[in-house]
Amino acid sequence: EVLTKALGIGPEPMLSTQRNLGRVHTALGDHKAAIGVLTAVVGREPSAESLKQLGIAYHNEKNYKEAIVQFKRGLEKEKDDAE
């Protein structure tokens, strides 16, 4: 609830707060909510960490095909960032 309220502060929520909210949803077992939040984060900034978190949420939802897609995207992003 606190993170949800924090997202309402300011015109555009901070990505780190949204990503943390996605992690909280995942930890609480609300994987559909995590996927929704993390998809929005990835849409704004597809960082390797956000893609990994989205992959975890899909994995926990037993959508393994989409989890693999997100993990691969995260690895590519990590590789690109290292270069």
Side-chain angles (χ1 to χ4, degrees), residues 11-63:
E12 193 168 312
M14 291 178 52
L15 288 172
S16 60
T17 304
Q18 282 186 300
R19 190 170 32 252
N20 286 338
L21 180 60
R23 286 183 181 133
V24 168
H25 284 307
T26 296
L28 294 174
D30 191 352
H31 308 302
K32 288 182 195 247
I35 290 167
V37 170
L38 293 166
T39 297
V41 171
V42 167
R44 287 178 51 206
E45 185 182 315
S47 69
E49 179 61 25
S50 296
L51 290 161
K52 180 180 89 170
Q53 292 301 318
L54 183 55
I56 290 169
Y58 275 118
H59 178 270
N60 290 339
E61 187 67 16
K62 299 188 182 352
N63 185 342

